[in-house]
Amino acid sequence: MSDLSVVIVSYNTRELLRNCLLSLRESVGLDLEIIVVDNASSDGSAEMTRAEFPEVKLLAQSLNTWYCGGNNIGIEAARADTVLLLNPDTEVAADALAQMRRFLQDHPDYVGVTAQLRYPNGELQRTCARIPDFRQLLMAYSALGYLLPTLKRELHSQLTYGDWDRRGDRDVEAIPGACTMMRRGDIRLDEDLLLYFPEETLARRQRKPMRFLTAARIVHHEKSSTRSWFAISIFFRDLLVYCRKHHGISKMLLLWALSRPVYWLMWLKNR
């Protein structure tokens, strides 16, 4: 049995996926099972994976199963006890995955672990967050945030660990979906969501500590397949689904009403 199953959901990210898979070939210290779930890409991602990476288990879908559904397909196919959900727009340092898995093995009281993510230019990404409360959702994604900018900044700083520079290890509540390592029995995603808020949902379900490891390094290009108005509309859809599930329908309706101005302003901006 492999030491670690790596699940990558790909949608029209062929060149980035190639670089990701090449970096995984250089990983040391682990026997990897690599699973690529291709969500009906039209750019030849599946064909490239099949031709250039015969060691990869390719699960080519006829329809787009989205991020959550696609990852669950990969998780179901995984054979290792530990699973890493990894974005295709990442490049993994050779020893990063071994460090992360070793941490989970040595700390059974932790449910998940992630790496330090950096942009291609070396700049640190401010990943990881607390589980958002309803006030934070309102300030971040509704017109109230424009009316109360000071409160919005304060709540955003609380949510995103604003006092932390990501240069040291830390216990966190939610880790990024771009790089989430957990035990296979803990990691299944909520398929009522399509692309957004799976990290917060995992954190709510587990209520156990997760760990950010500074020494494990991954380059993340970020938002490679979500730079479109369609993706923004999916974000607001998932926002409301998440709010209804965890804060109730009345608060979801309030958030829907107050987020409409932001939604339409973003639509105008992206016309």
Side-chain angles (χ1 to χ4, degrees), residues 36-212:
V36 170
V37 181
D38 184 76
N39 267 337
S41 295
S42 59
D43 67 346
S45 293
E47 293 79 4
M48 179 277 296
T49 302
R50 189 178 291 113
E52 299 181 25
F53 300 92
E55 73 275 19
V56 169
K57 182 184 292 186
L58 173 65
L59 304 177
Q61 307 300 299
S62 58
L63 297 171
N64 187 352
T65 60
W66 302 96
Y67 174 85
C68 293
N71 272 302
N72 282 346
I73 290 170
I75 292 164
E76 287 293 326
R79 294 176 295 180
D81 292 332
T82 307
V83 176
L84 171 69
L85 307 185
L86 186 68
N87 273 16
D89 58 353
T90 58
E91 296 164 29
V92 179
D95 62 344
L97 303 190
Q99 291 187 62
M100 294 167 67
R101 182 176 179 272
R102 185 163 56 249
F103 179 87
L104 274 187
Q105 284 185 308
D106 294 344
H107 299 85
D109 51 327
Y110 281 77
V111 73
V113 63
T114 192
Q116 184 191 79
L117 303 186
R118 290 178 177 262
Y119 294 103
N121 66 4
E123 181 184 350
L124 278 166
Q125 293 184 13
R126 297 185 67 83
T127 61
C128 302
R130 292 185 169 91
I131 298 170
D133 61 27
F134 184 64
R135 282 198 314 160
Q136 289 163 333
L137 293 177
L138 273 180
M139 286 299 110
Y141 306 119
S142 83
L144 287 180
Y146 293 93
L147 299 174
L148 302 167
T150 301
L151 179 60
K152 179 180 179 179
R153 286 193 298 270
E154 290 174 356
L155 292 177
H156 179 74
S157 180
Q158 293 172 16
L159 178 67
T160 60
Y161 302 106
D163 59 343
W164 173 39
D165 63 5
R166 275 65 174 177
R167 297 183 185 276
D169 294 359
R170 181 164 179 162
D171 288 0
V172 295
E173 292 184 8
I175 57 180
C179 175
T180 294
M181 186 182 291
M182 298 173 69
R183 297 170 188 87
R184 184 172 54 183
D186 296 327
I187 201 170
R188 187 172 177 85
L189 304 182
D190 182 351
E191 291 189 31
D192 288 339
L193 301 167
L194 300 180
L195 279 171
Y196 300 97
F197 297 96
E199 308 98 322
E200 293 84 353
T201 303
L202 276 176
R204 281 183 171 275
R205 189 168 73 222
Q206 300 302 332
R207 290 294 187 175
K208 295 180 181 178
M210 302 193 191
R211 190 71 170 174
F212 174 96

Side-chain angles (χ1 to χ4, degrees), residues 15-33:
E15 299 308 314
L16 290 164
L17 175 62
R18 176 186 283 119
N19 291 335
C20 178
L21 294 174
L22 287 171
S23 74
L24 288 171
R25 274 184 176 168
E26 302 300 316
S27 287
V28 297
L30 293 175
D31 177 16
L32 298 180
E33 175 190 42

